[in-house]
Coordinates of all heavy atoms in Angstrom, one line a residue:
Chain B
I237 N -16.1 30.3 -5.2 CA -15.2 31.5 -5.3 C -14.5 31.4 -6.6 O -13.8 32.4 -7.0 CB -14.2 31.6 -4.2 CG1 -13.1 30.6 -4.3 CG2 -14.8 31.6 -2.8 CD1 -11.8 30.9 -3.5
W238 N -14.6 30.3 -7.4 CA -13.8 30.2 -8.6 C -14.7 30.7 -9.8 O -15.9 30.4 -9.8 CB -13.4 28.8 -8.9 CG -12.5 28.3 -7.9 CD1 -12.8 27.4 -6.8 CD2 -11.1 28.5 -7.8 NE1 -11.7 27.2 -6.1 CE2 -10.6 27.8 -6.6 CE3 -10.2 29.3 -8.5 CZ2 -9.3 27.8 -6.2 CZ3 -8.9 29.3 -8.1 CH2 -8.4 28.6 -7.0
R239 N -14.1 31.3 -10.8 CA -14.8 31.6 -12.0 C -15.0 30.3 -12.8 O -14.1 29.5 -12.8 CB -14.0 32.6 -12.9 CG -14.6 33.1 -14.1 CD -13.8 34.2 -14.8 NE -12.4 33.8 -15.0 CZ -12.0 33.2 -16.2 NH1 -12.8 33.0 -17.1 NH2 -10.7 32.9 -16.3
F240 N -16.2 30.2 -13.4 CA -16.5 28.9 -14.1 C -15.7 28.8 -15.3 O -15.6 29.7 -16.2 CB -18.0 28.8 -14.4 CG -18.4 27.6 -15.1 CD1 -18.7 26.4 -14.4 CD2 -18.3 27.5 -16.5 CE1 -19.0 25.3 -15.1 CE2 -18.6 26.3 -17.2 CZ -19.0 25.2 -16.4
T241 N -15.0 27.6 -15.5 CA -14.3 27.3 -16.8 C -14.6 25.8 -17.1 O -14.8 25.1 -16.1 CB -12.8 27.5 -16.7 OG1 -12.3 26.6 -15.7 CG2 -12.4 29.0 -16.3
P242 N -14.5 25.5 -18.3 CA -14.7 24.0 -18.7 C -13.7 23.1 -17.9 O -14.0 22.0 -17.6 CB -14.5 24.0 -20.2 CG -14.9 25.4 -20.7 CD -14.4 26.3 -19.6
T243 N -12.5 23.6 -17.8 CA -11.5 22.7 -17.1 C -11.8 22.4 -15.6 O -11.7 21.3 -15.1 CB -10.0 23.3 -17.2 OG1 -10.1 24.7 -16.9 CG2 -9.4 23.1 -18.6
M244 N -12.3 23.5 -15.0 CA -12.7 23.3 -13.6 C -14.0 22.4 -13.5 O -14.1 21.5 -12.6 CB -12.9 24.6 -12.8 CG -14.0 25.5 -13.2 SD -15.5 25.2 -12.2 CE -15.2 26.3 -10.9
A245 N -14.9 22.6 -14.4 CA -16.1 21.7 -14.5 C -15.7 20.3 -14.7 O -16.2 19.4 -14.0 CB -17.0 22.2 -15.6
A246 N -14.7 20.0 -15.6 CA -14.3 18.7 -15.9 C -13.6 18.1 -14.7 O -13.7 16.9 -14.4 CB -13.3 18.7 -17.1
S247 N -12.9 18.9 -13.9 CA -12.2 18.5 -12.7 C -13.2 18.0 -11.7 O -13.1 16.9 -11.0 CB -11.3 19.6 -12.1 OG -10.8 19.2 -10.9
I248 N -14.3 18.8 -11.5 CA -15.3 18.5 -10.5 C -16.0 17.2 -11.0 O -16.3 16.3 -10.2 CB -16.3 19.6 -10.3 CG1 -15.6 20.8 -9.7 CG2 -17.5 19.2 -9.5 CD1 -16.4 22.1 -9.8
T249 N -16.3 17.1 -12.3 CA -17.0 16.0 -12.8 C -16.2 14.7 -12.7 O -16.7 13.6 -12.5 CB -17.4 16.2 -14.3 OG1 -18.1 17.5 -14.4 CG2 -18.3 15.1 -14.8
Q250 N -14.8 14.9 -12.8 CA -13.9 13.7 -12.7 C -14.1 13.1 -11.3 O -14.1 11.9 -11.1 CB -12.5 14.2 -12.9 CG -11.5 13.1 -13.0 CD -11.5 12.3 -14.2 OE1 -12.2 12.6 -15.2 NE2 -10.8 11.1 -14.3
R251 N -14.1 14.0 -10.3 CA -14.3 13.5 -8.9 C -15.7 12.9 -8.7 O -15.8 11.8 -8.1 CB -14.1 14.7 -7.9 CG -12.7 15.1 -7.8 CD -12.4 16.0 -6.6 NE -11.0 15.9 -6.2 CZ -10.5 16.5 -5.1 NH1 -11.3 17.1 -4.3 NH2 -9.2 16.4 -4.9
A252 N -16.7 13.6 -9.2 CA -18.1 13.1 -9.0 C -18.2 11.7 -9.7 O -18.8 10.8 -9.1 CB -19.1 14.0 -9.6
T253 N -17.7 11.5 -10.9 CA -17.8 10.3 -11.6 C -17.0 9.2 -10.9 O -17.3 8.0 -10.9 CB -17.4 10.4 -13.1 OG1 -16.1 11.0 -13.2 CG2 -18.4 11.2 -13.9
G254 N -15.9 9.6 -10.3 CA -15.0 8.7 -9.5 C -15.8 8.1 -8.4 O -15.8 6.9 -8.2
V255 N -16.5 8.9 -7.6 CA -17.4 8.5 -6.5 C -18.5 7.5 -7.1 O -18.8 6.5 -6.5 CB -18.0 9.6 -5.7 CG1 -18.9 9.2 -4.7 CG2 -16.9 10.5 -5.1
A256 N -19.1 7.9 -8.2 CA -20.2 7.1 -8.8 C -19.6 5.8 -9.2 O -20.3 4.7 -9.1 CB -20.7 7.9 -10.0
N257 N -18.4 5.7 -9.8 CA -17.8 4.5 -10.2 C -17.5 3.5 -9.0 O -17.7 2.3 -9.2 CB -16.5 4.7 -11.0 CG -16.7 5.4 -12.3 OD1 -17.8 5.5 -12.8 ND2 -15.7 6.0 -12.9
F258 N -17.1 4.1 -7.9 CA -16.9 3.3 -6.7 C -18.2 2.7 -6.3 O -18.3 1.5 -6.0 CB -16.4 4.2 -5.6 CG -15.8 3.5 -4.4 CD1 -14.5 3.1 -4.3 CD2 -16.7 3.2 -3.3 CE1 -14.0 2.4 -3.2 CE2 -16.2 2.5 -2.2 CZ -14.8 2.1 -2.2
T259 N -19.3 3.5 -6.3 CA -20.6 3.0 -6.0 C -21.1 1.9 -7.0 O -21.7 0.9 -6.6 CB -21.6 4.2 -5.9 OG1 -21.1 5.2 -5.2 CG2 -22.9 3.7 -5.3
G260 N -20.8 2.2 -8.2 CA -21.1 1.2 -9.3 C -20.4 -0.2 -9.0 O -21.0 -1.2 -9.3
T261 N -19.2 -0.1 -8.6 CA -18.5 -1.3 -8.3 C -19.2 -2.1 -7.1 O -19.2 -3.3 -7.2 CB -17.0 -1.0 -7.8 OG1 -16.5 -0.1 -8.9 CG2 -16.2 -2.2 -7.7
A262 N -19.8 -1.4 -6.2 CA -20.5 -2.1 -5.1 C -21.7 -2.8 -5.7 O -22.1 -3.9 -5.3 CB -21.0 -1.0 -4.1
V263 N -22.4 -2.2 -6.7 CA -23.5 -2.8 -7.4 C -23.0 -4.1 -8.1 O -23.7 -5.1 -8.1 CB -24.1 -1.9 -8.5 CG1 -25.3 -2.6 -9.2 CG2 -24.7 -0.7 -7.7
L264 N -21.8 -4.1 -8.7 CA -21.2 -5.2 -9.4 C -21.0 -6.4 -8.4 O -21.3 -7.5 -8.7 CB -19.9 -4.9 -10.1 CG -19.9 -4.0 -11.3 CD1 -18.5 -3.8 -11.8 CD2 -20.9 -4.5 -12.3
A265 N -20.6 -6.0 -7.2 CA -20.4 -7.0 -6.1 C -21.7 -7.6 -5.7 O -21.8 -8.9 -5.6 CB -19.7 -6.4 -4.9
V266 N -22.7 -6.8 -5.6 CA -24.1 -7.3 -5.3 C -24.6 -8.2 -6.4 O -25.1 -9.3 -6.1 CB -25.1 -6.1 -5.0 CG1 -26.5 -6.6 -5.0 CG2 -24.7 -5.4 -3.8
W267 N -24.4 -7.8 -7.6 CA -24.8 -8.6 -8.8 C -24.1 -10.0 -8.8 O -24.7 -11.0 -9.0 CB -24.5 -7.8 -10.1 CG -24.9 -8.6 -11.3 CD1 -26.2 -8.7 -11.9 CD2 -24.1 -9.3 -12.2 NE1 -26.1 -9.4 -13.0 CE2 -24.9 -9.9 -13.2 CE3 -22.7 -9.7 -12.2 CZ2 -24.3 -10.7 -14.2 CZ3 -22.2 -10.4 -13.2 CH2 -23.0 -10.9 -14.2
A268 N -22.8 -10.0 -8.6 CA -22.0 -11.3 -8.5 C -22.5 -12.1 -7.4 O -22.6 -13.3 -7.5 CB -20.5 -11.0 -8.4
F269 N -22.7 -11.5 -6.2 CA -23.2 -12.2 -5.0 C -24.5 -12.9 -5.3 O -24.7 -14.1 -5.1 CB -23.3 -11.3 -3.9 CG -23.8 -11.9 -2.6 CD1 -22.9 -12.6 -1.8 CD2 -25.1 -11.8 -2.2 CE1 -23.4 -13.1 -0.6 CE2 -25.6 -12.4 -1.0 CZ -24.7 -13.1 -0.2
A270 N -25.4 -12.1 -6.0 CA -26.8 -12.7 -6.3 C -26.7 -13.8 -7.3 O -27.4 -14.8 -7.2 CB -27.6 -11.5 -6.9
A271 N -25.8 -13.7 -8.3 CA -25.6 -14.7 -9.3 C -25.1 -16.0 -8.6 O -25.4 -17.1 -9.0 CB -24.6 -14.2 -10.4
A272 N -24.2 -15.8 -7.6 CA -23.7 -17.0 -6.9 C -24.7 -17.7 -6.0 O -24.7 -18.9 -5.9 CB -22.5 -16.6 -6.1
R273 N -25.6 -16.9 -5.4 CA -26.6 -17.4 -4.5 C -27.7 -18.2 -5.2 O -28.2 -19.2 -4.7 CB -27.3 -16.3 -3.7 CG -26.4 -15.6 -2.7 CD -26.3 -16.3 -1.3 NE -25.4 -17.5 -1.4 CZ -24.1 -17.4 -1.5 NH1 -23.5 -16.2 -1.6 NH2 -23.3 -18.5 -1.6
G274 N -28.2 -17.7 -6.4 CA -29.2 -18.4 -7.1 C -30.4 -17.5 -7.4 O -30.4 -16.3 -7.1
E275 N -31.5 -18.1 -8.0 CA -32.6 -17.4 -8.5 C -33.3 -16.5 -7.5 O -33.7 -15.4 -7.8 CB -33.6 -18.4 -9.1 CG -34.6 -17.8 -10.1 CD -34.0 -17.1 -11.3 OE1 -33.3 -17.8 -12.1 OE2 -34.1 -15.8 -11.4
A276 N -33.4 -17.0 -6.2 CA -34.1 -16.2 -5.2 C -33.4 -14.8 -5.0 O -34.1 -13.8 -4.6 CB -34.1 -17.0 -3.9
W277 N -32.1 -14.8 -5.1 CA -31.4 -13.5 -5.0 C -31.3 -12.8 -6.3 O -31.3 -11.6 -6.4 CB -29.9 -13.7 -4.5 CG -29.9 -14.0 -3.0 CD1 -30.2 -15.1 -2.3 CD2 -29.6 -13.0 -2.0 NE1 -30.0 -15.0 -1.0 CE2 -29.7 -13.7 -0.7 CE3 -29.2 -11.7 -2.0 CZ2 -29.4 -13.0 0.5 CZ3 -29.0 -11.0 -0.8 CH2 -29.1 -11.7 0.4
F278 N -31.0 -13.6 -7.4 CA -30.7 -13.0 -8.7 C -32.0 -12.3 -9.3 O -31.9 -11.2 -9.9 CB -30.2 -14.0 -9.7 CG -29.6 -13.4 -10.9 CD1 -28.3 -12.9 -10.9 CD2 -30.3 -13.4 -12.1 CE1 -27.7 -12.3 -12.0 CE2 -29.7 -12.8 -13.3 CZ -28.4 -12.3 -13.2
A279 N -33.2 -12.9 -9.1 CA -34.4 -12.4 -9.8 C -34.7 -10.9 -9.3 O -34.9 -10.1 -10.2 CB -35.6 -13.3 -9.5
P280 N -34.7 -10.6 -8.0 CA -34.9 -9.2 -7.6 C -33.9 -8.2 -8.1 O -34.2 -7.1 -8.5 CB -35.0 -9.2 -6.1 CG -34.4 -10.5 -5.7 CD -34.6 -11.5 -6.8
V281 N -32.6 -8.6 -8.1 CA -31.5 -7.8 -8.5 C -31.6 -7.5 -10.0 O -31.6 -6.4 -10.5 CB -30.1 -8.4 -8.2 CG1 -29.0 -7.6 -8.8 CG2 -29.9 -8.5 -6.7
A282 N -31.8 -8.6 -10.8 CA -32.0 -8.4 -12.3 C -33.2 -7.7 -12.6 O -33.2 -6.8 -13.5 CB -32.0 -9.8 -12.9
G283 N -34.3 -7.9 -11.8 CA -35.6 -7.2 -12.0 C -35.4 -5.7 -11.8 O -35.9 -4.9 -12.6
F284 N -34.7 -5.3 -10.8 CA -34.4 -3.9 -10.5 C -33.6 -3.3 -11.6 O -33.9 -2.2 -12.1 CB -33.7 -3.7 -9.2 CG -33.2 -2.3 -9.0 CD1 -34.1 -1.3 -8.7 CD2 -31.9 -2.0 -9.1 CE1 -33.7 0.0 -8.5 CE2 -31.4 -0.7 -8.9 CZ -32.3 0.3 -8.6
L285 N -32.6 -4.0 -12.1 CA -31.7 -3.5 -13.1 C -32.4 -3.3 -14.4 O -32.1 -2.5 -15.3 CB -30.4 -4.3 -13.2 CG -29.5 -4.3 -12.1 CD1 -28.3 -5.3 -12.3 CD2 -28.9 -2.9 -11.8
A286 N -33.5 -4.2 -14.6 CA -34.2 -4.1 -15.9 C -35.3 -3.1 -15.9 O -35.9 -2.7 -16.9 CB -34.8 -5.5 -16.2
S287 N -35.7 -2.6 -14.7 CA -36.7 -1.5 -14.5 C -36.2 -0.2 -15.1 O -35.0 -0.1 -15.3 CB -37.0 -1.4 -13.0 OG -36.0 -0.7 -12.4
P288 N -37.1 0.7 -15.4 CA -36.7 2.0 -16.0 C -35.6 2.7 -15.1 O -34.6 3.2 -15.6 CB -38.0 2.8 -16.1 CG -39.0 1.8 -16.2 CD -38.6 0.6 -15.4
F289 N -35.8 2.7 -13.8 CA -34.8 3.3 -12.9 C -33.5 2.6 -12.9 O -32.4 3.2 -13.0 CB -35.4 3.3 -11.5 CG -34.5 4.1 -10.5 CD1 -34.1 5.4 -10.7 CD2 -34.0 3.5 -9.4 CE1 -33.3 6.1 -9.9 CE2 -33.1 4.1 -8.5 CZ -32.8 5.4 -8.7
G290 N -33.6 1.2 -13.0 CA -32.3 0.4 -13.1 C -31.6 0.7 -14.4 O -30.4 0.8 -14.4
Q291 N -32.4 0.8 -15.5 CA -31.7 1.1 -16.8 C -31.1 2.5 -16.8 O -30.0 2.7 -17.3 CB -32.8 1.1 -17.9 CG -33.3 -0.4 -18.1 CD -32.3 -1.2 -18.8 OE1 -31.9 -1.0 -20.0 NE2 -31.8 -2.3 -18.1
F292 N -31.7 3.4 -16.1 CA -31.2 4.8 -15.9 C -29.9 4.7 -15.2 O -28.9 5.4 -15.5 CB -32.2 5.7 -15.2 CG -31.7 7.0 -14.9 CD1 -31.6 8.0 -15.8 CD2 -31.3 7.4 -13.6 CE1 -31.1 9.3 -15.5 CE2 -30.8 8.6 -13.2 CZ -30.7 9.6 -14.2
I293 N -29.8 3.9 -14.1 CA -28.6 3.8 -13.3 C -27.5 3.2 -14.2 O -26.3 3.6 -14.1 CB -28.9 2.9 -12.0 CG1 -29.7 3.8 -11.0 CG2 -27.6 2.4 -11.4 CD1 -30.0 3.0 -9.8
I294 N -27.8 2.1 -14.9 CA -26.8 1.5 -15.8 C -26.3 2.4 -16.8 O -25.1 2.5 -17.0 CB -27.4 0.2 -16.4 CG1 -27.7 -0.9 -15.4 CG2 -26.4 -0.3 -17.5 CD1 -28.3 -2.1 -15.9
L295 N -27.2 3.2 -17.4 CA -26.8 4.2 -18.4 C -25.9 5.2 -17.8 O -24.8 5.6 -18.4 CB -28.0 4.8 -19.1 CG -27.7 5.7 -20.3 CD1 -27.3 4.8 -21.5 CD2 -29.0 6.5 -20.7
G296 N -26.2 5.7 -16.6 CA -25.4 6.7 -15.9 C -24.1 6.1 -15.5 O -23.1 6.8 -15.6
Y297 N -24.1 4.8 -15.1 CA -22.8 4.2 -14.8 C -21.9 4.1 -16.0 O -20.7 4.3 -15.9 CB -23.1 2.8 -14.2 CG -21.9 2.0 -13.7 CD1 -20.9 2.6 -13.0 CD2 -21.8 0.7 -14.1 CE1 -19.8 1.8 -12.6 CE2 -20.7 -0.1 -13.7 CZ -19.7 0.5 -12.9 OH -18.6 -0.3 -12.5
I298 N -22.4 3.7 -17.1 CA -21.6 3.6 -18.3 C -21.0 5.0 -18.7 O -19.8 5.1 -18.9 CB -22.5 3.1 -19.5 CG1 -22.9 1.7 -19.3 CG2 -21.7 3.2 -20.9 CD1 -23.9 1.1 -20.3
W299 N -21.9 6.0 -18.6 CA -21.4 7.4 -18.9 C -20.3 7.8 -17.9 O -19.3 8.3 -18.3 CB -22.5 8.4 -18.9 CG -22.0 9.8 -19.0 CD1 -21.6 10.4 -20.2 CD2 -21.8 10.7 -18.0 NE1 -21.1 11.7 -19.9 CE2 -21.2 11.9 -18.6 CE3 -22.0 10.7 -16.6 CZ2 -20.8 13.0 -17.8 CZ3 -21.6 11.8 -15.8 CH2 -21.0 12.9 -16.4
S300 N -20.5 7.5 -16.6 CA -19.6 7.8 -15.6 C -18.2 7.1 -15.8 O -17.2 7.8 -15.7 CB -20.2 7.4 -14.2 OG -19.3 7.7 -13.2
L301 N -18.3 5.9 -16.2 CA -17.0 5.1 -16.5 C -16.3 5.7 -17.7 O -15.1 6.0 -17.7 CB -17.3 3.6 -16.8 CG -17.6 2.7 -15.6 CD1 -18.0 1.4 -16.1 CD2 -16.4 2.6 -14.7

Side-chain angles (χ1 to χ4, degrees):
Chain B
I237 73 162
W238 300 100
R239 183 170 57 90
F240 181 88
T241 63
T243 44
M244 68 93 88
S247 172
I248 295 165
T249 310
Q250 188 74 9
R251 285 193 162 189
T253 52
V255 174
N257 293 345
F258 192 91
T259 313
T261 306
V263 176
L264 294 184
V266 169
W267 179 82
F269 180 82
R273 293 275 76 74
E275 198 59 65
W277 282 81
F278 193 80
V281 173
F284 170 73
L285 292 175
S287 73
F289 185 58
Q291 292 288 295
F292 173 76
I293 287 180
I294 292 175
L295 191 68
Y297 180 47
I298 293 171
W299 173 77
S300 181
L301 283 173

